[in-house]
Amino acid sequence: MHYCAGLVILLFGCIICHNIEGFDDSILYDISWVSKDNNKPEYANLEYMIVTSSQKEKYKCMLPHIQEKEPNVSNSYDGPTPLELISPLFTQTACSFRLESYWTYEVCHGRFVRQYHEDREGKKVKIQEYILGKWEKNQYSTLLEQQKNLEIDKVPVKKVDGVSLPYFEITMGNGTLCELNQNKPRETKVLYLCYAHGKHEIYSLKEISTCVYEIIVLSPLLCAHPKYKPQESGEHSIDCMPLDDSPTKPRELLKIKAESNKFRRKADMDRIRLEFHPIDLNRKEETTPSKTPLDVSPVESFLAGKTCLNGGTGWWSYEFCYGKSVEQYHLHKDGSKISIKLGYFDKSKHLQWLSLHPHKKPKPVGQRTQLSHFYSGGDVCDKTGKPRQTEVKLKCSQNAKTSAVSLYLLEPRYCEYILGVESPLICKILDLADENGLIENVAENDIANEDSTVTIIRV
């Protein structure tokens, strides 16, 4: 774990306040907490200071010798431009691929970016694809001329795994027209980052606005340019050892670290965690009139469409309200919302769909692992001219340790979706469904276990 001098002040109070005016926050320190027995010989030549924590814990901290930084020699660089350095990717017609659950992304450097999916029906192969951007023939010479006439003063940086890395960006436009963006062509910004061990692979891909994408490519080619090499952290080591009966690390620091790990474990924003709490059957009911009875049936609330499930990463999110609708949406920072209805539930249309697809009917009670429901009549699709529709697959997940609701959205055909919902919650309702997979007029007693309640927590 890395700390700057400011954390030393936070933990121990202002030790060197007389020199705070000259404090240089560009110098970073890596604080190591060493045991009493780890007294290195080189400590004899170092200055030290005794610090005391808020819990009266004392430490002897060895101060490193700080040397002045060498002048930046990259200002005298007169080698190839960033574009010239990555140009071998263009001449070799190299492509990088990224495989996801449904889509495959193909970046052919200096040519195009493509998103596609293959459907195999026997010997026939149907390909659904979108061009996310193209590299025009005259783009190279135009950009190269701009770079040669422009001194690289300040290189933009991108945070990758918490580290700011310089990058070189090219834009590929004129992709497949986007119906969600007033039929403007799709566009991709490709960010090339120096990584000595990289093989031009796609590090990340995301939709930063409607039909505008950002792809990060890790390549060793840029590393030949000093301006695009990762900046050295310039960290200096401070070794602190406990005095008297103090612990190796301050208790307050251990507490902060534990809290940090706790929040990190809760950071999965695409899930809804369900906690199952046992009921004490011997506990007497509260009889105080002023207390409001607790709602012990969130499952019943879910089946009534009152509790909706939300998921999704990147630009698009989606919402599923059981027995009501499936929606895809994006919330802008100003609070405005782009919304696309992927389907509404209509019992008659669901039954008609089952008659056309009898294999979608649920298995006999006791053998079921999932239910399929049909949501239709969504917003009209520009590609097909038909309303969008969604098959919702409610699947029983036996992973009681996580007790989570997982959602995923696929698009096997244009504007025809599959929404997967997996959770232990589904296991509780499988056998309550009729021969058409519908759960109607279910009493609370039919849903709730006799020895547990379920609490839904959005994280």
Side-chain angles (χ1 to χ4, degrees), residues 155-167 193-194 227-233:
V155 177
V157 295
K158 185 79 175 178
K159 276 207 170 183
V160 177
D161 288 339
V163 179
S164 295
L165 299 176
Y167 66 87
L193 275 69
C194 157
K227 286 277 189 177
Y228 290 89
K229 285 184 177 179
Q231 299 295 314
E232 293 184 5
S233 64

Side-chain angles (χ1 to χ4, degrees), residues 331-381:
L331 289 175
H332 292 289
K333 291 181 179 179
D334 61 3
S336 60
K337 181 179 180 181
I338 302 173
S339 176
I340 305 170
K341 289 294 185 180
L342 305 186
Y344 299 89
F345 186 74
D346 183 296
K347 182 178 177 180
S348 62
K349 291 182 179 179
H350 168 75
L351 297 177
Q352 185 181 2
W353 177 74
L354 283 182
S355 66
L356 296 174
H357 306 86
H359 62 285
K360 299 291 185 181
K361 288 188 175 184
K363 292 183 178 181
V365 174
Q367 301 178 25
R368 299 171 180 173
T369 57
Q370 70 176 39
L371 302 173
S372 287
H373 293 165
F374 184 59
Y375 287 66
S376 59
D379 291 341
V380 174
C381 174

Side-chain angles (χ1 to χ4, degrees), residues 83 135-147:
L83 182 59
W135 178 257
E136 304 298 338
K137 290 182 179 179
N138 63 342
Q139 212 168 335
Y140 181 87
S141 57
T142 303
L143 188 55
L144 183 60
E145 193 65 30
Q146 290 176 354
Q147 284 193 336

Side-chain angles (χ1 to χ4, degrees), residues 236-249:
H236 302 275
S237 178
I238 296 178
D239 290 349
C240 293
M241 63 185 69
L243 297 176
D244 302 330
D245 295 328
S246 300
T248 303
K249 291 185 180 181

Side-chain angles (χ1 to χ4, degrees), residues 129-356:
E129 71 171 5
Y130 298 96
I131 300 299
L132 305 187
K134 298 176 185 176
W135 178 257
E136 304 298 338
K137 290 182 179 179
N138 63 342
Q139 212 168 335
Y140 181 87
S141 57
T142 303
L143 188 55
L144 183 60
E145 193 65 30
Q146 290 176 354
Q147 284 193 336
K148 287 184 175 179
N149 297 329
L150 180 68
E151 286 189 21
I152 301 178
D153 220 9
K154 188 175 182 182
V155 177
V157 295
K158 185 79 175 178
K159 276 207 170 183
V160 177
D161 288 339
V163 179
S164 295
L165 299 176
Y167 66 87
F168 173 68
E169 177 184 322
I170 65 172
T171 300
M172 294 190 182
N174 200 28
T176 306
L177 296 181
C178 175
E179 62 188 67
L180 303 176
N181 197 18
Q182 300 176 345
N183 275 330
K184 294 179 181 178
R186 287 171 166 82
E187 177 183 295
T188 298
K189 300 177 186 298
V190 185
L191 278 52
Y192 290 91
L193 275 69
C194 157
Y195 182 58
H197 306 290
K199 296 181 180 178
H200 322 300
E201 66 268 29
I202 301 173
Y203 173 80
S204 67
L205 186 152
K206 63 181 179 180
E207 191 173 2
I208 55 177
S209 61
T210 305
C211 295
V212 178
Y213 309 86
E214 179 188 89
I215 294 176
I216 294 179
V217 176
L218 303 179
S219 173
L221 298 178
L222 267 184
C223 299
H225 197 305
K227 286 277 189 177
Y228 290 89
K229 285 184 177 179
Q231 299 295 314
E232 293 184 5
S233 64
E235 291 172 346
H236 302 275
S237 178
I238 296 178
D239 290 349
C240 293
M241 63 185 69
L243 297 176
D244 302 330
D245 295 328
S246 300
T248 303
K249 291 185 180 181
R251 295 181 181 88
E252 194 64 27
L253 176 62
L254 293 174
K255 182 179 176 182
I256 293 172
K257 187 175 181 180
E259 287 294 321
S260 175
N261 290 337
K262 179 180 176 182
F263 285 115
R264 190 177 291 115
R265 287 193 296 268
K266 292 182 178 180
D268 184 357
M269 300 300 293
D270 300 325
R271 294 179 178 270
I272 297 173
R273 197 182 75 243
L274 307 177
E275 293 185 350
F276 294 79
H277 302 284
I279 291 178
D280 184 358
L281 298 178
N282 296 320
R283 181 174 59 85
K284 293 183 179 180
E285 296 293 331
E286 294 285 352
T287 56
T288 310
S290 60
K291 298 230 177 185
T292 304
L294 296 174
D295 178 12
V296 295
S297 185
V299 181
E300 186 181 36
S301 179
F302 166 72
L303 293 176
K306 297 176 182 178
T307 300
C308 298
L309 306 181
N310 292 270
T313 57
W315 179 254
W316 289 111
S317 301
Y318 39 89
E319 181 180 71
F320 168 55
C321 299
Y322 178 88
K324 291 187 175 181
S325 63
V326 179
E327 179 184 10
Q328 186 178 36
Y329 65 92
H330 173 75
L331 289 175
H332 292 289
K333 291 181 179 179
D334 61 3
S336 60
K337 181 179 180 181
I338 302 173
S339 176
I340 305 170
K341 289 294 185 180
L342 305 186
Y344 299 89
F345 186 74
D346 183 296
K347 182 178 177 180
S348 62
K349 291 182 179 179
H350 168 75
L351 297 177
Q352 185 181 2
W353 177 74
L354 283 182
S355 66
L356 296 174

Side-chain angles (χ1 to χ4, degrees), residues 39-154:
N39 201 338
K40 300 176 183 179
E42 55 265 32
Y43 288 165
N45 299 321
L46 295 179
E47 294 183 15
Y48 68 88
M49 62 181 178
I50 306 298
V51 295
T52 305
S53 74
S54 58
Q55 304 294 324
K56 307 301 181 184
E57 303 151 326
K58 288 189 176 182
Y59 296 86
K60 181 180 180 181
C61 295
M62 315 307 297
L63 304 180
H65 293 301
I66 300 177
Q67 297 179 349
E68 291 187 9
K69 296 180 181 178
E70 295 183 4
N72 192 346
V73 296
S74 63
N75 291 329
S76 60
Y77 173 78
D78 59 358
T81 66
L83 182 59
E84 289 174 313
L85 289 173
I86 65 171
S87 62
L89 290 175
F90 301 171
T91 57
Q92 295 171 8
T93 62
C95 296
S96 303
F97 293 85
R98 182 182 179 88
L99 305 178
E100 297 197 351
S101 58
Y102 183 77
W103 293 107
T104 299
Y105 295 90
E106 179 183 19
V107 179
C108 290
H109 307 279
R111 289 190 290 160
F112 60 84
V113 179
R114 182 170 72 122
Q115 174 187 15
Y116 68 93
H117 174 76
E118 293 184 354
D119 269 326
R120 296 184 178 272
E121 296 180 4
K123 294 183 179 181
K124 295 182 179 180
V125 178
K126 293 182 179 179
I127 297 181
Q128 177 186 359
E129 71 171 5
Y130 298 96
I131 300 299
L132 305 187
K134 298 176 185 176
W135 178 257
E136 304 298 338
K137 290 182 179 179
N138 63 342
Q139 212 168 335
Y140 181 87
S141 57
T142 303
L143 188 55
L144 183 60
E145 193 65 30
Q146 290 176 354
Q147 284 193 336
K148 287 184 175 179
N149 297 329
L150 180 68
E151 286 189 21
I152 301 178
D153 220 9
K154 188 175 182 182

